[in-house]
Amino acid sequence: MIRKPSLLNVLVAVVTLVAIAGGFSSFQRNRSAFERLDFRFHWENSVIAVDSVDPGSGAAKAGLRPGDRIWVVAGVPASEVNGLKKSLRRTGQAVPLIVNRGHQTLTVIYLAPKLKIDYPYLFLTFTGFLYLSIGLFTVFRRSRGESLLFFFMTLMSFIV
């Protein structure tokens, strides 16, 4: 005999899927913060203009200076670069940049900084998914009011 899903089970599934989608979106946004650059820049007429360089960083060691204008990143014109952080990470550690400084054009080998992984955030994310899976297991194993209350408590823990 096939059992019809109750309205309560459908509601739990929908709320859970919405929370998981929001969780993955938040995780992707925070994961991109692990990748960082050691210089500030802005876009100026399809060229990357360097605003400042962190002292002692890979960009400073490579010779990148404030006021430099980056024309080419790893063989790709700056106007075609989508997401500078991702482009510098994708090409590897040593990335050739063609830079205009005043009236001269230079090739600078940029060393991308290491990832800055937020381990406490990853631990909390794992714990949230663990709580959610325990709550889902409990609510679908038993359909009593107490298990539903426990599920919503684990769902709130996941969201936090």
Side-chain angles (χ1 to χ4, degrees), residues 6-154:
S6 71
L7 181 62
L8 187 60
N9 286 346
V10 171
L11 178 66
V12 166
V14 168
V15 168
T16 303
L17 289 175
V18 168
I20 289 174
F24 276 118
S25 172
S26 174
F27 181 76
Q28 286 296 336
R29 189 175 51 253
N30 285 326
R31 186 193 59 81
S32 70
F34 297 165
E35 299 173 345
R36 57 192 175 90
L37 293 179
D38 46 7
F39 64 93
R40 303 318 148 253
F41 66 94
H42 70 274
W43 291 92
E44 183 179 288
N45 299 328
S46 301
V47 174
I48 301 166
V50 178
D51 295 327
S52 65
V53 178
D54 296 345
S57 64
K61 291 176 186 173
L64 208 56
R65 296 182 190 159
D68 286 351
R69 297 167 50 90
I70 302 172
W71 289 349
V72 179
V73 177
V76 178
S79 60
E80 297 176 15
V81 172
N82 286 334
L84 186 59
K85 284 188 218 178
K86 290 183 181 183
S87 296
L88 292 174
R89 285 270 166 228
R90 226 178 282 139
T91 56
Q93 285 292 336
V95 181
L97 305 173
I98 297 180
V99 175
N100 176 283
R101 181 178 298 149
H103 297 293
Q104 56 180 316
T105 302
L106 324 156
T107 299
V108 173
I109 305 299
Y110 174 71
L111 299 173
K114 294 181 181 179
L115 292 175
K116 187 177 181 181
I117 299 175
D118 187 1
Y119 290 106
Y121 172 76
L122 292 178
F123 176 74
L124 290 175
T125 302
F126 172 75
T127 304
F129 275 105
L130 182 64
Y131 274 37
L132 183 64
S133 60
I134 291 169
L136 283 171
F137 176 78
T138 304
V139 81
F140 286 114
R141 176 108 173 157
R142 298 180 184 257
S143 59
R144 292 188 192 163
E146 298 89 18
S147 64
L148 190 60
L149 178 63
F150 178 73
F151 166 73
F152 282 115
M153 285 176 51
T154 60

